[in-house]
Amino acid sequence: MSLTEAKLSEIVRKQFMYKLKAYMSVFSSLLVVQVISLLLSTNGSRMMGTSYNGFSIDINYYTGDISIVFTLIWSFITAIIITTKAYRNDDFTFVSNRLSSHLSNVVFLLFASVIGGITAVLSGQLFKVIMNVFLRDGYVMGSAIPLPELLLSVIVSILYVFLLASLGYFVGMLVQLNRWFGVILPTFIIGYMIIGTNTGQEPKMVVEVFTFYVQETALFLFLIKILVTTGLLFFLSSILTNKLEVRQ
């Protein structure tokens, strides 16, 4: 390893450690988001009922899926926030450049994604335990998830959270490059969804993206898709970073 590489890695490490301490509010917000998601989950994610000869049966399904969805939204917003000028200027507490700042952000988002993915899955399991304990009205059925399946859920959740974080980071850099993107992107997305709704058809782009990522059953291929996509998004973000004014 050359002296330059060693110096870069050391700068990135120091910036990452600094951000862990400076951005603790990110993890506090994660806790708040997941508590809110669990409270919303108490209404049940799905319900059905039937009746026969004067008897009625109501079935409520309780899952921790909302916690994962809220965590994905949290990662997207968090990534956008750390691209703002106030957060970027924190990097100049150290002797740094665009590359070290960008790499430390990627490492921080990866770390945050690991924490978010793990806690999202575990909070979902905790929610099921709580509902089993407190639901006294009626018959409660539940099943424990085998450890290999639980670990797989954690890995997949981390990858999804990291994917949304990389997308948020790219969007944030676009907005920092030109504020008009903050208006154009939401307008395009909302307009695209409205057009799809009015025509009575599912938005083709959304369906294709959903099929490409969510319906992938092979873990290795899913991992490759996530790594290639996140790598591309972070690479494009680094190019956009070079176009931003750097504080010396």
Side-chain angles (χ1 to χ4, degrees):
M1 180 180 291
S2 68
L3 181 61
T4 302
E5 291 174 337
K7 184 178 180 181
L8 176 62
S9 62
E10 183 64 19
I11 292 174
V12 171
R13 185 189 68 81
K14 289 181 178 180
Q15 286 183 316
F16 169 66
M17 297 304 298
Y18 170 80
K19 289 174 182 179
L20 278 183
K21 297 177 182 179
Y23 301 168
M24 285 302 296
S25 59
V26 166
F27 301 102
S28 301
S29 64
L30 173 62
L31 176 62
V32 172
V33 163
Q34 292 186 347
V35 169
I36 293 174
S37 69
L38 293 182
L39 292 176
L40 294 176
S41 298
T42 56
N43 292 324
S45 60
R46 186 161 59 96
M47 61 183 62
M48 59 180 296
T50 185
S51 60
Y52 180 74
N53 288 339
F55 294 94
S56 62
I57 299 176
D58 295 318
I59 302 175
N60 293 319
Y61 294 88
Y62 296 93
T63 68
D65 295 344
I66 296 181
S67 178
I68 296 177
V69 173
F70 272 51
T71 303
L72 293 175
I73 298 173
W74 164 84
S75 68
F76 181 80
I77 296 176
T78 297
I80 292 178
I81 291 174
I82 69 171
T83 64
T84 58
K85 186 174 182 179
Y87 280 78
R88 293 201 318 273
N89 287 345
D90 288 341
D91 291 329
F92 296 95
T93 305
F94 306 90
V95 178
S96 61
N97 53 35
R98 298 184 185 97
L99 179 59
S100 63
S101 174
H102 177 69
L103 290 176
S104 63
N105 283 338
V106 173
V107 175
F108 176 79
L109 289 176
L110 176 58
F111 180 82
S113 298
V114 171
I115 299 299
I118 293 174
T119 55
V121 174
L122 294 183
S123 63
Q125 298 305 309
L126 176 62
F127 172 73
K128 294 178 183 179
V129 173
I130 293 174
M131 297 307 292
N132 270 305
V133 172
F134 289 98
L135 281 180
R136 300 295 184 183
D137 185 17
Y139 183 67
V140 180
M141 295 181 62
S143 59
I145 297 181
L147 182 58
E149 186 176 338
L150 181 62
L151 292 176
L152 180 61
S153 298
V154 169
I155 293 173
V156 172
S157 296
I158 291 173
L159 292 174
Y160 273 128
V161 174
F162 191 51
L163 175 63
L164 265 293
S166 65
L167 179 60
Y169 191 74
F170 175 69
V171 170
M173 283 301 179
L174 278 178
V175 174
Q176 293 304 311
L177 183 64
N178 192 319
R179 297 293 180 179
W180 277 105
F181 281 111
V183 177
I184 295 173
L185 291 177
T187 302
F188 172 77
I189 294 173
I190 295 174
Y192 184 76
M193 299 297 290
I194 291 176
I195 292 174
T197 302
N198 291 339
T199 57
Q201 298 178 352
E202 294 180 337
K204 185 177 180 181
M205 185 184 302
V206 175
V207 173
E208 290 179 351
V209 171
F210 181 87
T211 302
F212 183 75
Y213 291 105
V214 180
Q215 293 189 354
E216 178 58 63
T217 57
L219 179 61
F220 179 74
L221 291 179
F222 176 72
L223 177 62
I224 295 300
K225 289 180 179 181
I226 296 297
L227 292 180
V228 171
T229 305
T230 54
L232 178 61
L233 287 172
F234 282 125
F235 174 72
L236 294 175
S237 298
S238 67
I239 295 176
L240 295 177
T241 304
N242 291 333
K243 296 181 180 297
L244 295 175
E245 180 181 357
V246 179
R247 176 181 168 189
Q248 300 294 335

